[in-house]
Amino acid sequence: MLHIHDWLMHRSFLMLLLVVNVIGTIYGYIWYRPQLSETPTIFLPFVPDSPTASLFFVFVLIAWLRHTHWPLMEALAVVTLVKYGIWAVVMNMLVFIVTGELGWAGWMLVVSHGAMAVQALLYASYYRMSFIHVVVAAIWTLHNDVIDYVFGMMPQYQMLAQYTPQIGYFTFWLSIASIAVAYIFSRRR
């Protein structure tokens, strides 16, 4: 009988997870295409939050399939998958509360982004990141918050525009919580 450890790290399951994350990453970058076409070049790496988070996890999966670890990618993946996974679920639920409706794409985002956060946590015991890797991921993530909410590059949810200051405040504290999660995992190895 396979234990969860055997199942999560089974090569076939990692390959399936890799394919799913590659497809999700590509879809995410396509979803951001309209916003990216209006984004100043200097901000391009920081605008497509969720697909970049899943791209970090793609690199983690590739490393594991090669029987190695890329600790910086692990730190970036866990911080950003937890943050943007939860963030997108909350924003889409807020859209539902404000407008009274959420189309199929919104529900798909709730499920897929919820899965992003879950996969980050499911693999927590496998990460080999150190404190310095978490620091670099924290700098990336907090810098991204500044780009989003100081320079106005956050994901476009027009129906939530009136709540931008509150969303920015929530996002900052979600970043801190996600960094704390990564720090805790880095200490448990």
Side-chain angles (χ1 to χ4, degrees), residues 102-154:
L102 189 64
W104 72 268
W107 289 113
M108 182 271 302
L109 290 172
V110 167
V111 171
S112 62
H113 285 73
M116 286 170 54
V118 168
Q119 76 181 355
L121 298 175
L122 275 177
Y123 284 93
S125 64
Y126 303 101
Y127 302 135
R128 298 295 175 256
M129 60 197 168
S130 69
F131 177 74
I132 192 65
H133 299 119
V134 175
V135 168
V136 172
I139 291 167
W140 170 275
T141 304
L142 294 171
H143 177 72
N144 197 358
D145 289 347
V146 171
I147 299 300
D148 282 356
Y149 294 97
V150 173
F151 294 98
M153 298 291 127
M154 66 289 238

Side-chain angles (χ1 to χ4, degrees), residues 9 53 55-65 67-82 120 123-130 133-134 137 178 181-183 185-186 189:
M9 292 305 283
L55 180 62
F56 292 146
F57 196 62
V58 163
F59 291 131
V60 169
L61 292 168
I62 290 169
W64 290 347
L65 286 165
H67 305 289
T68 189
H69 288 269
W70 293 335
L72 180 57
M73 287 297 120
E74 292 173 355
L76 286 164
V78 70
V79 171
T80 58
L81 286 172
V82 169
Y123 284 93
S125 64
Y126 303 101
Y127 302 135
R128 298 295 175 256
M129 60 197 168
S130 69
H133 299 119
V134 175
S178 300
V181 166
Y183 173 74
F185 292 152
S186 76
R189 64 185 188 107

Side-chain angles (χ1 to χ4, degrees), residues 34-52:
Q35 185 172 351
L36 291 172
S37 69
E38 302 170 359
T39 301
T41 305
I42 194 168
F43 297 132
L44 285 175
F46 301 99
V47 170
D49 300 325
S50 297
T52 302

